[in-house]
Amino acid sequence: SNKPINQSNRLPMGMKENPHNGCLIAIGSTNGFVYIYYFYLISKIDRIESSNKRDKDLELLELFQCQHSKRDISDVKISRDRQMLAVGSHDTYIYIYAIIFDEGNNKLPMTCELKVLQRLHGHSSYITHIDWSYDCQLLRSTCGAYEILYWDIKKGKQFLSSGDALESDTEWFTDTCTLGFQVMGIWPPNSDGTDINAIDVSKSNNLVVTGDDFDNVNLYNYPCVVKHAPGLHLSAHSSHVMNVKFYNTINGIDNWDNGIVSLGGDSTVIVWSMNS
């Protein structure tokens, strides 16, 4: 395939008047390309049964593609206001794009374009994870050298602070960075900085899930600040777990989670259900 998928991020459009009930999907590839897709539901008349019953089909429409890095894209995140896209690359840069989206009066085909706003540089190794703040003003990032940095998006510069207020007072829209005070207990004994591949924090903000190099999906209380914290360790993959994500079935509106989705290096996707 000429579109090897590396990381993806989706965000519901959130417009009640949108008849397509869709969401934007950003995908980063191993050849440095970034793709924007629109994933939506369409209704059709079931002509085979000659009835008025409406079925729903899923459609995936490619809107835009670009390449500003020649290295692997390791993470992509759409901001909460759907106005910006952050892209982390193995070239140590973070690219901030403006998302220029034209819905075409809620009619397909719609158009989308990415315009470069900032190129952030400060990490000494490849980018591993990035998170947007809830107000879309700050970005948090980690890299292969185990650095965690904060960025002022408007200024396009690293945010420097001598205190702890930045981390403690900032409300994050996503929580996927594997480093930081809130998740320092997720690391198992004798592990290095590469053993945890991905994390996600539940919408209820009381659980954190991790995927590791030991084929496990791990569930902990959040914040997880106790060294070698106890947790629930789930084994089903036959290779390292590359990504994990909490999900719910109420279109992201409510504040609870139905389960976990994990993606393994064994090319399997496993859905884990959660019982309260």
Side-chain angles (χ1 to χ4, degrees):
S1 172
N2 63 346
K3 298 181 183 178
I5 294 175
N6 201 27
Q7 286 288 338
S8 65
N9 181 232
R10 72 182 183 93
L11 194 65
M13 293 307 298
M15 297 175 290
K16 293 181 180 179
E17 66 274 14
N18 186 348
H20 308 295
N21 191 27
C23 63
L24 282 180
I25 300 180
I27 296 178
S29 70
T30 55
N31 57 13
F33 275 88
V34 176
Y35 302 90
I36 298 294
Y37 289 88
Y38 187 59
F39 187 62
Y40 63 100
L41 293 172
I42 60 173
S43 297
K44 65 177 183 178
I45 302 296
D46 188 351
R47 292 188 176 90
I48 296 178
E49 296 181 1
S50 299
S51 68
N52 290 326
K53 178 182 177 181
R54 286 188 175 271
D55 292 333
K56 290 183 177 180
D57 283 347
L58 295 175
E59 294 287 338
L60 188 64
L61 176 67
E62 182 178 325
L63 300 180
F64 189 78
Q65 62 172 272
C66 64
Q67 183 191 35
H68 292 95
S69 172
K70 297 185 182 300
R71 302 289 302 278
D72 292 9
I73 302 302
S74 49
D75 201 4
V76 292
K77 290 290 193 312
I78 300 174
S79 62
R80 175 178 169 269
D81 60 6
R82 304 185 303 276
Q83 300 300 310
M84 291 178 287
L85 172 68
V87 175
S89 172
H90 276 221
D91 64 6
T92 74
Y93 286 89
I94 300 173
Y95 299 84
I96 307 297
Y97 297 92
I99 302 176
I100 304 171
F101 189 71
D102 183 4
E103 300 170 56
N105 296 320
N106 291 325
K107 295 181 180 180
L108 296 175
M110 55 188 64
T111 61
C112 180
E113 183 180 352
L114 298 180
K115 179 182 178 181
V116 178
L117 294 177
Q118 306 284 359
R119 192 173 74 150
L120 309 177
H121 184 59
H123 280 290
S124 57
S125 185
Y126 60 93
I127 308 302
T128 54
H129 303 284
I130 47 182
D131 287 318
W132 281 101
S133 64
Y134 202 79
D135 60 7
C136 309
Q137 301 299 309
L138 297 175
L139 199 71
R140 174 176 60 187
S141 59
T142 56
C143 74
Y146 318 135
E147 303 164 343
I148 179 168
L149 301 181
Y150 301 89
W151 306 91
D152 186 317
I153 297 303
K154 285 187 176 180
K155 295 181 180 179
K157 295 182 179 180
Q158 186 178 342
F159 193 101
L160 302 176
S161 176
S162 58
D164 299 328
L166 177 63
E167 178 66 31
S168 61
D169 295 346
T170 301
E171 184 178 3
W172 296 101
F173 178 56
T174 57
D175 279 290
T176 62
C177 287
T178 58
L179 303 177
F181 174 78
Q182 305 277 35
V183 294
M184 64 182 185
I186 65 174
W187 296 91
N190 304 316
S191 63
D192 61 30
T194 65
D195 288 333
I196 302 294
N197 299 312
I199 76 167
D200 191 34
V201 175
S202 64
K203 296 184 184 302
S204 53
N205 218 39
N206 64 349
L207 293 172
V208 58
V209 62
T210 75
D212 63 30
D213 278 349
F214 312 110
D215 314 342
N216 292 325
V217 174
N218 311 286
L219 194 62
Y220 303 96
N221 288 323
Y222 182 82
C224 186
V225 297
V226 179
K227 186 177 182 179
H228 305 156
L232 180 63
H233 308 287
L234 309 171
S235 180
H237 288 283
S238 60
S239 183
H240 49 288
V241 179
M242 297 303 300
N243 213 339
V244 288
K245 187 72 177 177
F246 284 101
Y247 76 92
N248 61 53
T249 57
I250 318 296
N251 297 322
I253 297 174
D254 61 346
N255 197 39
W256 56 279
D257 305 271
N258 292 111
I260 298 165
V261 177
S262 59
L263 174 64
D266 53 4
S267 300
T268 61
V269 177
I270 298 178
V271 178
W272 309 82
S273 62
M274 293 174 57
N275 297 320
S276 58

